[in-house]
Amino acid sequence: MWIPRSLIRLSILHLLLLQLLWLNPATAKKDKPEISSHKFDNAPSNFFYFDDSNIILLHDREAGLVHRSEDAGKTWKEVDIGGGKAWDLWPHPHDNQKAYITGRASTHWHTNDQGKTWQDFEIPNARPSLFRAPFAFNAKNTDKVLIHGETCRIGGLLDCKEVTFYTKDGFQKVGKLRENTRGCVFARATPEFTTGDSDKDEDRIICVTTGRISHSRREHRLAVSDNYFEDEREPNLAGDRTVQGIVNIAVVKGYIVVAEKAPNTDELAMYVTDDASTWHRAVFPSDSRLKEDAYTVLESTSYSIEVDVMTVDPPNPMGVLFTSNSNGTYFTKNIEHTNRNVHGIVDFEKVQNIQGIVLVNIVDNWQDIEDSSGREEKRLKSQISFDDGRTFQDLTTDKGTLHLHSVSEMNNVGRVFSSPAPGLVMGIGNTGKNLKAYEDGDLYVSSDAGLTWALALEGAHKYEFGDQGSILVAINDEKPVDVIQYSLDYGEHWQKVELPESGIRAKALTTTPDSTSMKFFVWGVKGRGSRTEHWVFSIDFEDMHESKCEDKDFEEWMARVDKDKKPICVMGRKQSYRRRKPGADCFIREKFDEIEPDFEKCKCTKEDFECDYNFIRSKDRKDCVRDGPLPDPQGQCKKGAKKYKASSGFRKIPGNGCEGGEKLDEEIERDCEDTLKPIVSGEINTERTAFPGQSFRGYFYLERTESSSGSDKASKDETVVMRTDNSKVYITRDHGKTWDEILKGKEIKDIYPHPHFNDVCYFVTPSKEVHYTINRGDTFDSFKAESEPTRDRDLQALTFHADYKDWLIWTGAVKCDKDGKCRNDAWYSTDRGSHWEDLRHVVRKCEFIKEEGRGERKKLVYCEQYKDEKLGGPLELQASDNWFADYTTPFKSIVDFATMSEFIIVATKDQSDGDSLKVDASVDGQTFADALFPSNFKVPIQKAYTVLDSHTHAVFMHVTVGNQKDAEYGSIIKSNSNGTSYVLSLDKVNRNTPGYVDFEKMLGLEGVALVNIVANTEEAEKGSGKKLKTMITHNDGAEWSLVKAPQNDPEGKAYGCRTDDIAACSLHLHGYTERRDPRNVFSSPSAVGLMMAVGNVGEYLTTKSEKTSDTFITRDGGIEWHAVKKGNYMWEYGDQGSIIVIVRDTVATDEILYSLDEGKEWIPYKFSNKKVHVAILSTVPSDNSLNFLLWGREEDSDSEIVTFNLDFSQLKERSEQCKLDENNPTSDDSDYYLWEPKHPSQPSNCLFGHVAQYHRKKPEANCFNGRSIQHLHSIASNCECTRSDFECDYNYEPAKDGSCVLVGGQEPPDHSKVCKEDPERMSYFLPTGYRRVPLSTCEGGNELEKYESKEVPCRGHEKDFEEAHRGLSGFWIFILGVILPVCIASAVGYWVWQNWHGKFGSIRLGDTGSPFDADKPWIKYPVAAVSGIVAVLAAVPLLLGSLWRWGSGLFGGGRRYTTRGSFARGRGDYAVVDEDELLGEDEDEEV
């Protein structure tokens, strides 16, 4: 066969070309990376790689779209879930196949194949939570996911609740986990954490939940379940005690961390567990405290937790870095003055995959920052540690010391310095003394994990690592660019490659999380404004000519070395990697295959050991010393031996790999005496202290809270500050056993304890000088105000912010005339008086309004300013949230305003009726609504009203009806849930001339209150004396009844009347209007069910005297009373009611009586060799101390006043800690029982529609309570409705038979208003005369609010109404139209807990013989919540205003924590008007 020569020649040429290609395949490779681009319409809101893949998901929130790329960003496709529905995008952190898209409502999507396909799922009737991440994941079983959502009732702007859902099968089914959660986690939320039980690892869930009744943050608790909350339990965090006030939970490596905050402090307690069963409180050094929003849990290890604690507040915050031991309980200080930003982000990052190397930035000029309260500009320097933070050193280059920009100013996505590429570290910074601006920095690289550094590129760049470090990529981060740069030799040489688009301003540069890929992803923008274009680029190095590395191209690299390049041991091991040599001309090309380190064991040294349980580090940090008594193992000491073998105090850190060397954990011999408990004397100890002077002018408890560090029984201090009439100030740290004079030589005019932070107290002089302490008297400092304090005796010079303890308002006297009459101006400070700025001129008062539940307007301030700045003119209410740079004037002519726990009430002169006051109410401080009084009520301007209470989602208000001197009385009215509509609760309630009201709530128990009524109002107004009767309510004022008298007097004799005839023979108690010491309220929030009072049995209340009065006690919330002693006594509760101390009130005595069994038996104790006129009996505001103080004057002394400390801690009956098992409270060995309060007219224990169970110590149990008990154990069940669950509706009043009847001449309330408020509403119900008590949760039974009620269509919805009800039975009409709306309306009120808000009172009124000064207006006219007060605005306008507010607002719960305790014991509440706000009495003759 003939073949043409030309064809032969062509075939040979092809063969030669193929041979060349086969012999040298590199000739087909490229010499630069391939770059492709893609343009998006909007900026990405989120994007991420699926781990071990080139698949990227990108979210465009503006368009509601998700895009997917399978080739590292080269090409893109839109995910098909229906356009515009994607609200957020989340990867599964433990499963590289799964991701989630959330929608705005209840429909969401998930993928199990890296986004290739998507399936939708529903969260029933809920939307994703706005307050926390929507998902919580399980690291062991990735099909198990928790979903945080929230549900809102129709029209319920503020009626939303958080609900957590769950799936166990990857969203095939979704179920409800629990309502009222505040964040939930699986215990196995990280691969490192384990419970030690595989079943529990999969299913144990821990949630922060609201309280059993209240939504207040102070009631938040922890709940644990192993069966998806079919049942739950509350773990014991503090010994055998549960803890409330949980604010956060997090899983960190092998630990679960929980933070708790007690009221009246910014200090937090941290609790840690490493098995989700046993918890310990984390202990920090005594000079360091965790503060709310002031600590950050950092990237930690499997054997320790890293925490940075802020030490200087913004604007230039800095902190201290701490590291824990292996179980997370003891923390030691690593390095001080760490840099952090205002968001809590700390300049701290570990070098990835290498144990023990960490980079931090510290503040070089820390002293200047501290001295200037954070106003100086920070100068930063960088430090690095190679030994797990034990030591730090500078970063060095051949040009000097290097400083790098770190985590607090992120300029790219992902980690800042390192990646899994072994030893490769990059950063932007500069050499010199301190860190300069980012734009002045250059790119530096280190190939030895940070030991030495070299300049890589000039200028700031974004950077990334690829191919296990063999590829470094960078793009300029200072300006738009046309190129990227890359290095193949660890940053020594760089090459440029052009981008497909010019003028690109880089926003992000990243690659796969493991840095093994050879592909990179860049997002950048081009142009500005409306012409901005969003571009993404894929940079691919896979087709470059470099070959795959061989064995000869690798080296063994030691991961940690010291300055001499000797290997360093961390956790008992040396660490090394096999990595590519810097000069090797090859790529590793092992995609998604991370390098594993090699370890070599070291000999054990001291660094490999930590302190064992019950041991702590010595002060020099060299040894472990015991912290308390040691256990006696196997009873060795019971055999008579003097020695036994026990822990040395050291143990090897769990997980430490060292061998040989030091053996610090070997057991040693110890003395058997070490196992013995402290010996108690069995006696009460007394310490007397005398002071020169005639009277005490004030004392204040600065009580340490239970979240404060070191607050166990042994170390808990009990601090009191006190001032005498000679202006000397004293302090005691041990409850009056020893006293020291402080601020010697300073004339102290007033003492102002901070009402929201117990550690802080101010001491005001007559001049501009103010002294203060922020640590309960450990140290003192001072500042200069802008003027001397106000001379107005009815106002306070200082007012405080509820959240920011350094924010102050100063009201001072300026432009005083020769008669001493001044005007008041106001200034504010945000740095505790270091700097002051003008607020307003010519004011009466200014107050911070920010409270929990009142939005985010933290700077909101109200001022009462005289119009046109003219004294004597009308008072305007002005509001501003920017320090009065601008402001609004909600009211042009006000009488006063009052801030309470749930409401702000403003009293103005009614413009339509000059003889009446008008009231407006607000729940958020921004929007006010008119308050509708019952139509037959008018409040003449020469009379007044008093806000009594607002802790049950309703305002109690006393309206003065009769104002004749010595015959004053009025009516108590109660509001709806927003404070705008009032109904009559009880009339003829007694008040006195100064304005106090006989109204007192029982503390610690729902809905119980006592009042005195004037039984002969007509005769009293004609000049006859008042005849008073005491009445009680058990359902929050819905019904009142006389108090059933005890059968016998204290001596066992029958009273002189028939107690079965309650109208003529009942118990009457002396109330607030006649107390010599207004602090002596009946009850304590920590002694649930107990009340004490002085009174008599008969038809009316008699004169208070030794002959006619007895002292009484009730143990069941006021149902049954017992006479305990003849005569008048003062009382105090200690150790949460396990000790009650009483002392004679009106005669000199040398004896107190105490009871250890709730007043059944009284034991006398002689405390003095001389008779003493006791003026005050006090203890800590929480009533949880075993110490008491008597204040008075000895009978034969005219020049000395005395205190007596009574210490009961040595009583044998109170030497053992009570045992409480929250999960089995009725066990045989428990020292507690469950008590159920009830309504006396009901056969069951139902109160407010439910049976509540409270922990109470068994009276016969000889032990002390110690840490505060969470008294409410559970809501056992809801009950059927009865009359006691209802009160009279607006324009209705109680008839004699207890039914609710329409007020004569009035119309029923217009319920059709709900149609206007909710245009979608179809119908409403006509009123029946009854409305449900807000706290009630009753179900079924006698539901009076819908009895015989008729459903009516809303205007415009008649046809819809007719169609909806066609075929419906009357039953379903009631269900859908009555029960549901009523439940919606009442549910909010139910969840407001009224109990733990403290006790109220004032320093004793100064009558003859009293050593207490009575001149100060807040002493003479205390505003106390339990009493009610009517304000004489000109003479005592709001008394001390709202200075001493406590706690937080409505949707964070009630405000007060202490009271009689605070106010009474000098805590400071005496200046509060929160619960007894004075709003009235603008009497002309006193203007």
Side-chain angles (χ1 to χ4, degrees), residues 545-559:
H545 56 72
E546 277 74 9
S547 62
K548 180 178 173 62
C549 295
E550 301 176 359
D551 287 345
K552 63 182 178 61
D553 296 312
F554 290 91
E555 65 178 356
E556 182 184 18
W557 174 75
M558 297 304 299

mmCIF file with all atom_site columns, all heavy atoms in Angstrom, residues 545-559:
data_model
loop_
_atom_site.group_PDB
_atom_site.id
_atom_site.type_symbol
_atom_site.label_atom_id
_atom_site.label_alt_id
_atom_site.label_comp_id
_atom_site.label_asym_id
_atom_site.label_entity_id
_atom_site.label_seq_id
_atom_site.pdbx_PDB_ins_code
_atom_site.Cartn_x
_atom_site.Cartn_y
_atom_site.Cartn_z
_atom_site.occupancy
_atom_site.B_iso_or_equiv
_atom_site.pdbx_formal_charge
_atom_site.auth_seq_id
_atom_site.auth_comp_id
_atom_site.auth_asym_id
_atom_site.auth_atom_id
_atom_site.pdbx_PDB_model_num
ATOM 1   N N   . HIS A 1 545 ? 3.039  24.815 37.510 1.00 0.00 ? 545 HIS A N   1
ATOM 2   C CA  . HIS A 1 545 ? 4.010  23.807 37.076 1.00 0.00 ? 545 HIS A CA  1
ATOM 3   C C   . HIS A 1 545 ? 4.724  23.096 38.215 1.00 0.00 ? 545 HIS A C   1
ATOM 4   O O   . HIS A 1 545 ? 5.371  22.079 38.002 1.00 0.00 ? 545 HIS A O   1
ATOM 5   C CB  . HIS A 1 545 ? 5.046  24.438 36.142 1.00 0.00 ? 545 HIS A CB  1
ATOM 6   C CG  . HIS A 1 545 ? 5.742  25.616 36.755 1.00 0.00 ? 545 HIS A CG  1
ATOM 7   N ND1 . HIS A 1 545 ? 6.660  25.509 37.764 1.00 0.00 ? 545 HIS A ND1 1
ATOM 8   C CD2 . HIS A 1 545 ? 5.634  26.946 36.479 1.00 0.00 ? 545 HIS A CD2 1
ATOM 9   C CE1 . HIS A 1 545 ? 7.100  26.712 38.099 1.00 0.00 ? 545 HIS A CE1 1
ATOM 10  N NE2 . HIS A 1 545 ? 6.501  27.610 37.323 1.00 0.00 ? 545 HIS A NE2 1
ATOM 11  N N   . GLU A 1 546 ? 4.635  23.613 39.465 1.00 0.00 ? 546 GLU A N   1
ATOM 12  C CA  . GLU A 1 546 ? 5.376  22.982 40.553 1.00 0.00 ? 546 GLU A CA  1
ATOM 13  C C   . GLU A 1 546 ? 4.916  21.523 40.742 1.00 0.00 ? 546 GLU A C   1
ATOM 14  O O   . GLU A 1 546 ? 3.733  21.221 40.725 1.00 0.00 ? 546 GLU A O   1
ATOM 15  C CB  . GLU A 1 546 ? 5.186  23.755 41.856 1.00 0.00 ? 546 GLU A CB  1
ATOM 16  C CG  . GLU A 1 546 ? 6.105  24.946 42.009 1.00 0.00 ? 546 GLU A CG  1
ATOM 17  C CD  . GLU A 1 546 ? 5.703  26.121 41.132 1.00 0.00 ? 546 GLU A CD  1
ATOM 18  O OE1 . GLU A 1 546 ? 4.591  26.051 40.523 1.00 0.00 ? 546 GLU A OE1 1
ATOM 19  O OE2 . GLU A 1 546 ? 6.477  27.073 41.017 1.00 0.00 ? 546 GLU A OE2 1
ATOM 20  N N   . SER A 1 547 ? 5.885  20.639 40.951 1.00 0.00 ? 547 SER A N   1
ATOM 21  C CA  . SER A 1 547 ? 5.585  19.217 41.103 1.00 0.00 ? 547 SER A CA  1
ATOM 22  C C   . SER A 1 547 ? 5.141  18.919 42.530 1.00 0.00 ? 547 SER A C   1
ATOM 23  O O   . SER A 1 547 ? 5.209  19.766 43.416 1.00 0.00 ? 547 SER A O   1
ATOM 24  C CB  . SER A 1 547 ? 6.839  18.394 40.765 1.00 0.00 ? 547 SER A CB  1
ATOM 25  O OG  . SER A 1 547 ? 7.892  18.715 41.679 1.00 0.00 ? 547 SER A OG  1
ATOM 26  N N   . LYS A 1 548 ? 4.700  17.683 42.764 1.00 0.00 ? 548 LYS A N   1
ATOM 27  C CA  . LYS A 1 548 ? 4.306  17.241 44.101 1.00 0.00 ? 548 LYS A CA  1
ATOM 28  C C   . LYS A 1 548 ? 5.557  16.950 44.917 1.00 0.00 ? 548 LYS A C   1
ATOM 29  O O   . LYS A 1 548 ? 6.527  16.338 44.427 1.00 0.00 ? 548 LYS A O   1
ATOM 30  C CB  . LYS A 1 548 ? 3.441  15.985 44.010 1.00 0.00 ? 548 LYS A CB  1
ATOM 31  C CG  . LYS A 1 548 ? 2.969  15.440 45.347 1.00 0.00 ? 548 LYS A CG  1
ATOM 32  C CD  . LYS A 1 548 ? 2.080  14.222 45.151 1.00 0.00 ? 548 LYS A CD  1
ATOM 33  C CE  . LYS A 1 548 ? 1.741  13.567 46.482 1.00 0.00 ? 548 LYS A CE  1
ATOM 34  N NZ  . LYS A 1 548 ? 0.997  14.443 47.394 1.00 0.00 ? 548 LYS A NZ  1
ATOM 35  N N   . CYS A 1 549 ? 5.560  17.397 46.176 1.00 0.00 ? 549 CYS A N   1
ATOM 36  C CA  . CYS A 1 549 ? 6.744  17.245 47.026 1.00 0.00 ? 549 CYS A CA  1
ATOM 37  C C   . CYS A 1 549 ? 7.024  15.778 47.319 1.00 0.00 ? 549 CYS A C   1
ATOM 38  O O   . CYS A 1 549 ? 6.112  14.958 47.479 1.00 0.00 ? 549 CYS A O   1
ATOM 39  C CB  . CYS A 1 549 ? 6.550  17.998 48.339 1.00 0.00 ? 549 CYS A CB  1
ATOM 40  S SG  . CYS A 1 549 ? 6.428  19.782 48.148 1.00 0.00 ? 549 CYS A SG  1
ATOM 41  N N   . GLU A 1 550 ? 8.335  15.469 47.420 1.00 0.00 ? 550 GLU A N   1
ATOM 42  C CA  . GLU A 1 550 ? 8.793  14.133 47.794 1.00 0.00 ? 550 GLU A CA  1
ATOM 43  C C   . GLU A 1 550 ? 9.374  14.191 49.204 1.00 0.00 ? 550 GLU A C   1
ATOM 44  O O   . GLU A 1 550 ? 9.468  15.254 49.819 1.00 0.00 ? 550 GLU A O   1
ATOM 45  C CB  . GLU A 1 550 ? 9.832  13.657 46.791 1.00 0.00 ? 550 GLU A CB  1
ATOM 46  C CG  . GLU A 1 550 ? 9.313  13.605 45.349 1.00 0.00 ? 550 GLU A CG  1
ATOM 47  C CD  . GLU A 1 550 ? 10.401 13.226 44.380 1.00 0.00 ? 550 GLU A CD  1
ATOM 48  O OE1 . GLU A 1 550 ? 11.564 13.025 44.820 1.00 0.00 ? 550 GLU A OE1 1
ATOM 49  O OE2 . GLU A 1 550 ? 10.104 13.154 43.168 1.00 0.00 ? 550 GLU A OE2 1
ATOM 50  N N   . ASP A 1 551 ? 9.794  13.022 49.704 1.00 0.00 ? 551 ASP A N   1
ATOM 51  C CA  . ASP A 1 551 ? 10.323 12.942 51.067 1.00 0.00 ? 551 ASP A CA  1
ATOM 52  C C   . ASP A 1 551 ? 11.477 13.905 51.283 1.00 0.00 ? 551 ASP A C   1
ATOM 53  O O   . ASP A 1 551 ? 11.618 14.511 52.353 1.00 0.00 ? 551 ASP A O   1
ATOM 54  C CB  . ASP A 1 551 ? 10.770 11.519 51.381 1.00 0.00 ? 551 ASP A CB  1
ATOM 55  C CG  . ASP A 1 551 ? 9.586  10.582 51.586 1.00 0.00 ? 551 ASP A CG  1
ATOM 56  O OD1 . ASP A 1 551 ? 8.455  11.103 51.772 1.00 0.00 ? 551 ASP A OD1 1
ATOM 57  O OD2 . ASP A 1 551 ? 9.779  9.359  51.551 1.00 0.00 ? 551 ASP A OD2 1
ATOM 58  N N   . LYS A 1 552 ? 12.324 14.051 50.264 1.00 0.00 ? 552 LYS A N   1
ATOM 59  C CA  . LYS A 1 552 ? 13.494 14.913 50.415 1.00 0.00 ? 552 LYS A CA  1
ATOM 60  C C   . LYS A 1 552 ? 13.128 16.384 50.588 1.00 0.00 ? 552 LYS A C   1
ATOM 61  O O   . LYS A 1 552 ? 13.952 17.195 51.012 1.00 0.00 ? 552 LYS A O   1
ATOM 62  C CB  . LYS A 1 552 ? 14.414 14.765 49.197 1.00 0.00 ? 552 LYS A CB  1
ATOM 63  C CG  . LYS A 1 552 ? 13.777 15.214 47.877 1.00 0.00 ? 552 LYS A CG  1
ATOM 64  C CD  . LYS A 1 552 ? 14.726 15.003 46.720 1.00 0.00 ? 552 LYS A CD  1
ATOM 65  C CE  . LYS A 1 552 ? 14.084 15.390 45.393 1.00 0.00 ? 552 LYS A CE  1
ATOM 66  N NZ  . LYS A 1 552 ? 13.689 16.814 45.334 1.00 0.00 ? 552 LYS A NZ  1
ATOM 67  N N   . ASP A 1 553 ? 11.887 16.722 50.233 1.00 0.00 ? 553 ASP A N   1
ATOM 68  C CA  . ASP A 1 553 ? 11.459 18.123 50.326 1.00 0.00 ? 553 ASP A CA  1
ATOM 69  C C   . ASP A 1 553 ? 10.923 18.483 51.714 1.00 0.00 ? 553 ASP A C   1
ATOM 70  O O   . ASP A 1 553 ? 10.525 19.627 51.947 1.00 0.00 ? 553 ASP A O   1
ATOM 71  C CB  . ASP A 1 553 ? 10.369 18.397 49.289 1.00 0.00 ? 553 ASP A CB  1
ATOM 72  C CG  . ASP A 1 553 ? 10.881 18.228 47.868 1.00 0.00 ? 553 ASP A CG  1
ATOM 73  O OD1 . ASP A 1 553 ? 11.954 18.778 47.582 1.00 0.00 ? 553 ASP A OD1 1
ATOM 74  O OD2 . ASP A 1 553 ? 10.201 17.537 47.085 1.00 0.00 ? 553 ASP A OD2 1
ATOM 75  N N   . PHE A 1 554 ? 10.892 17.525 52.654 1.00 0.00 ? 554 PHE A N   1
ATOM 76  C CA  . PHE A 1 554 ? 10.326 17.764 53.977 1.00 0.00 ? 554 PHE A CA  1
ATOM 77  C C   . PHE A 1 554 ? 11.410 17.765 55.042 1.00 0.00 ? 554 PHE A C   1
ATOM 78  O O   . PHE A 1 554 ? 12.494 17.193 54.859 1.00 0.00 ? 554 PHE A O   1
ATOM 79  C CB  . PHE A 1 554 ? 9.280  16.698 54.309 1.00 0.00 ? 554 PHE A CB  1
ATOM 80  C CG  . PHE A 1 554 ? 8.023  16.811 53.480 1.00 0.00 ? 554 PHE A CG  1
ATOM 81  C CD1 . PHE A 1 554 ? 7.905  16.120 52.275 1.00 0.00 ? 554 PHE A CD1 1
ATOM 82  C CD2 . PHE A 1 554 ? 6.966  17.609 53.894 1.00 0.00 ? 554 PHE A CD2 1
ATOM 83  C CE1 . PHE A 1 554 ? 6.760  16.229 51.500 1.00 0.00 ? 554 PHE A CE1 1
ATOM 84  C CE2 . PHE A 1 554 ? 5.821  17.717 53.131 1.00 0.00 ? 554 PHE A CE2 1
ATOM 85  C CZ  . PHE A 1 554 ? 5.711  17.032 51.937 1.00 0.00 ? 554 PHE A CZ  1
ATOM 86  N N   . GLU A 1 555 ? 11.091 18.412 56.180 1.00 0.00 ? 555 GLU A N   1
ATOM 87  C CA  . GLU A 1 555 ? 11.980 18.460 57.337 1.00 0.00 ? 555 GLU A CA  1
ATOM 88  C C   . GLU A 1 555 ? 11.159 18.246 58.608 1.00 0.00 ? 555 GLU A C   1
ATOM 89  O O   . GLU A 1 555 ? 9.939  18.453 58.625 1.00 0.00 ? 555 GLU A O   1
ATOM 90  C CB  . GLU A 1 555 ? 12.673 19.827 57.414 1.00 0.00 ? 555 GLU A CB  1
ATOM 91  C CG  . GLU A 1 555 ? 11.705 20.971 57.662 1.00 0.00 ? 555 GLU A CG  1
ATOM 92  C CD  . GLU A 1 555 ? 12.390 22.330 57.777 1.00 0.00 ? 555 GLU A CD  1
ATOM 93  O OE1 . GLU A 1 555 ? 13.629 22.369 57.746 1.00 0.00 ? 555 GLU A OE1 1
ATOM 94  O OE2 . GLU A 1 555 ? 11.664 23.335 57.917 1.00 0.00 ? 555 GLU A OE2 1
ATOM 95  N N   . GLU A 1 556 ? 11.823 17.816 59.680 1.00 0.00 ? 556 GLU A N   1
ATOM 96  C CA  . GLU A 1 556 ? 11.153 17.757 60.983 1.00 0.00 ? 556 GLU A CA  1
ATOM 97  C C   . GLU A 1 556 ? 11.332 19.118 61.650 1.00 0.00 ? 556 GLU A C   1
ATOM 98  O O   . GLU A 1 556 ? 12.470 19.583 61.822 1.00 0.00 ? 556 GLU A O   1
ATOM 99  C CB  . GLU A 1 556 ? 11.735 16.657 61.861 1.00 0.00 ? 556 GLU A CB  1
ATOM 100 C CG  . GLU A 1 556 ? 11.006 16.564 63.191 1.00 0.00 ? 556 GLU A CG  1
ATOM 101 C CD  . GLU A 1 556 ? 11.614 15.533 64.136 1.00 0.00 ? 556 GLU A CD  1
ATOM 102 O OE1 . GLU A 1 556 ? 12.777 15.139 63.908 1.00 0.00 ? 556 GLU A OE1 1
ATOM 103 O OE2 . GLU A 1 556 ? 10.943 15.151 65.100 1.00 0.00 ? 556 GLU A OE2 1
ATOM 104 N N   . TRP A 1 557 ? 10.234 19.726 61.999 1.00 0.00 ? 557 TRP A N   1
ATOM 105 C CA  . TRP A 1 557 ? 10.281 21.075 62.571 1.00 0.00 ? 557 TRP A CA  1
ATOM 106 C C   . TRP A 1 557 ? 9.729  21.041 63.990 1.00 0.00 ? 557 TRP A C   1
ATOM 107 O O   . TRP A 1 557 ? 8.589  20.592 64.222 1.00 0.00 ? 557 TRP A O   1
ATOM 108 C CB  . TRP A 1 557 ? 9.454  22.032 61.703 1.00 0.00 ? 557 TRP A CB  1
ATOM 109 C CG  . TRP A 1 557 ? 9.327  23.408 62.304 1.00 0.00 ? 557 TRP A CG  1
ATOM 110 C CD1 . TRP A 1 557 ? 10.279 24.358 62.342 1.00 0.00 ? 557 TRP A CD1 1
ATOM 111 C CD2 . TRP A 1 557 ? 8.176  23.939 62.957 1.00 0.00 ? 557 TRP A CD2 1
ATOM 112 N NE1 . TRP A 1 557 ? 9.815  25.474 62.982 1.00 0.00 ? 557 TRP A NE1 1
ATOM 113 C CE2 . TRP A 1 557 ? 8.510  25.235 63.374 1.00 0.00 ? 557 TRP A CE2 1
ATOM 114 C CE3 . TRP A 1 557 ? 6.909  23.438 63.240 1.00 0.00 ? 557 TRP A CE3 1
ATOM 115 C CZ2 . TRP A 1 557 ? 7.617  26.044 64.063 1.00 0.00 ? 557 TRP A CZ2 1
ATOM 116 C CZ3 . TRP A 1 557 ? 6.014  24.237 63.924 1.00 0.00 ? 557 TRP A CZ3 1
ATOM 117 C CH2 . TRP A 1 557 ? 6.370  25.535 64.324 1.00 0.00 ? 557 TRP A CH2 1
ATOM 118 N N   . MET A 1 558 ? 10.524 21.488 64.970 1.00 0.00 ? 558 MET A N   1
ATOM 119 C CA  . MET A 1 558 ? 10.081 21.521 66.363 1.00 0.00 ? 558 MET A CA  1
ATOM 120 C C   . MET A 1 558 ? 9.157  22.733 66.552 1.00 0.00 ? 558 MET A C   1
ATOM 121 O O   . MET A 1 558 ? 9.519  23.864 66.225 1.00 0.00 ? 558 MET A O   1
ATOM 122 C CB  . MET A 1 558 ? 11.281 21.632 67.306 1.00 0.00 ? 558 MET A CB  1
ATOM 123 C CG  . MET A 1 558 ? 12.223 20.449 67.237 1.00 0.00 ? 558 MET A CG  1
ATOM 124 S SD  . MET A 1 558 ? 11.417 18.857 67.554 1.00 0.00 ? 558 MET A SD  1
ATOM 125 C CE  . MET A 1 558 ? 10.818 19.098 69.231 1.00 0.00 ? 558 MET A CE  1
ATOM 126 N N   . ALA A 1 559 ? 7.989  22.475 67.077 1.00 0.00 ? 559 ALA A N   1
ATOM 127 C CA  . ALA A 1 559 ? 6.949  23.504 67.097 1.00 0.00 ? 559 ALA A CA  1
ATOM 128 C C   . ALA A 1 559 ? 7.194  24.587 68.138 1.00 0.00 ? 559 ALA A C   1
ATOM 129 O O   . ALA A 1 559 ? 6.804  25.736 67.939 1.00 0.00 ? 559 ALA A O   1
ATOM 130 C CB  . ALA A 1 559 ? 5.578  22.858 67.349 1.00 0.00 ? 559 ALA A CB  1
#
